[in-house]
Amino acid sequence: MTDPKWAVATERGRYYTDPAGGPDLISVTNVLSTSVHKPALVPWGAGLVADAVLDDPIVVARRARTEPTALRKELVAIPRQYTERAQNLGTRIHNRAQADVLGVPYPADPEVEPYARQLARWFRLWHVDLANDVEAVETTVMHRARGYAGTGDLWVWLRSGRFRRRQLWLVDYKSSANKPATTVYDEQPLQLAALRHAPEWLLPDDSSEPAPRVHRTALLNLRPRGHRFIEVPSGRAQFRAFLGALQTARYLHTAPGSYPTVVPPWAPDASERKAA
């Protein structure tokens, strides 16, 4: 999706400016990217580099002798470039999803089209009436007391309750060309819990009102040839875990970058170190 209106990129990651003039609010994704360890990223990045070497080992071996500095720079950049391409595709998929829900035109994009077809299939499967069942799309929620904000993808009423009673779902789109449609990462329930438990959301005129009560939360994993709608927990336990991550992120964002060296007071240069 495009950057939310009040989102601001900083050297510490994304924050939201409060349109009411309060303190800046740290974004939900910033909290989780700062605080949640992702051990799979290192072997994943190493695998991308290994694949690049194995794709053309003769050329790589020759360049290792003739231009090792340039080769190393290119190999190191491979995971970042892959991530940027995936993020770009994800943004376009979110934009297309938003356009489809709102019924506005979207430029032709062959790479996005398979994901859009899967989203349309999901809407048909659940008999979603876009005009009457969609409560909100791409909407920013805020928890001013806790100091965070985030933007949800879709609030939609589904006939999922007992006797087909309508329930309000908060749905987060996740797209990938390669990952299994069943993929759920550890931090995703925390993300949905943070959005679900934020008490306010922003209206188009930048005022705020109480956010509606969400009954259930889920990921909609979109893949080029299929999709999977996966309910994930977002209750009190997940919200408490998010608040712990929030504390950690705040500490890391304000922690000093260096600390003083301690030497015995009788050391020859002790006074100089103390003065420094």
Side-chain angles (χ1 to χ4, degrees):
M1 62 183 171
T2 54
D3 287 339
K5 178 178 179 181
W6 292 95
V8 179
T10 76
E11 61 182 11
R12 299 167 297 153
R14 173 183 283 181
Y15 276 72
Y16 283 79
T17 300
D18 186 343
D24 286 350
L25 308 169
I26 186 172
S27 82
V28 172
T29 53
N30 190 356
V31 168
L32 298 176
S33 63
T34 300
S35 303
V36 178
H37 178 50
K38 299 179 180 180
L41 287 180
V42 173
W44 169 80
L48 290 178
V49 174
D51 290 342
V53 172
L54 294 173
D55 282 345
D56 204 344
I58 296 175
V59 170
V60 171
R62 184 176 67 247
R63 293 189 63 198
R65 294 192 304 271
T66 60
E67 46 178 338
T69 302
L71 174 64
R72 183 183 186 282
K73 184 177 180 181
E74 292 175 19
L75 293 176
V76 168
I78 287 174
R80 175 180 53 79
Q81 292 169 348
Y82 183 95
T83 299
E84 289 174 352
R85 288 195 298 269
Q87 289 173 341
N88 178 267
L89 175 60
T91 295
R92 285 149 49 209
I93 291 170
H94 274 74
N95 290 343
R96 171 62 184 270
Q98 182 178 8
D100 288 351
V101 170
L102 297 177
V104 298
Y106 187 84
D109 190 336
E111 195 175 9
V112 169
E113 189 60 31
Y115 301 91
R117 285 196 294 267
Q118 293 303 321
L119 177 61
R121 282 184 58 195
W122 181 79
F123 282 135
R124 289 195 301 270
L125 178 67
W126 281 90
H127 299 161
V128 174
D129 181 341
L130 297 179
N132 297 310
D133 293 336
V134 173
E135 185 73 22
V137 60
E138 299 295 342
T139 300
T140 296
V141 297
M142 301 176 299
H143 200 314
R144 289 183 167 112
R146 297 289 188 178
Y148 75 83
T151 299
D153 292 338
L154 177 69
W155 283 257
V156 61
W157 292 93
L158 300 178
R159 290 153 187 81
S160 55
R162 191 178 184 189
F163 306 120
R164 297 190 180 181
R165 180 171 57 89
R166 293 169 91 230
Q167 294 179 313
L168 184 60
W169 288 74
L170 172 56
V171 179
D172 193 48
Y173 306 132
K174 298 296 182 186
S175 58
S176 174
N178 304 311
K179 296 169 187 169
T182 55
T183 300
V184 178
Y185 292 110
D186 292 340
E187 72 273 12
Q188 288 169 340
L190 277 62
Q191 175 190 3
L192 283 164
L195 298 175
R196 178 182 187 176
H197 292 278
E200 300 176 84
W201 65 7
L202 288 179
L203 300 175
D205 64 358
D206 299 329
S207 64
S208 61
E209 69 175 14
R213 177 174 174 264
V214 170
H215 299 107
R216 300 166 77 174
T217 54
L219 303 175
L220 179 52
N221 284 341
L222 299 171
R223 303 296 185 261
R225 297 180 181 177
H227 69 268
R228 196 65 74 91
F229 188 54
I230 303 174
E231 183 170 12
V232 297
S234 58
R236 296 289 179 186
Q238 289 75 28
F239 187 52
R240 285 195 298 268
F242 171 78
L243 293 179
L246 175 62
Q247 272 193 303
T248 300
R250 279 219 186 89
Y251 169 77
L252 293 174
H253 286 180
T254 58
S258 62
Y259 297 89
T261 300
V262 179
V263 297
W266 56 83
D269 59 348
S271 59
E272 297 177 7
R273 288 179 182 267
K274 186 175 181 179

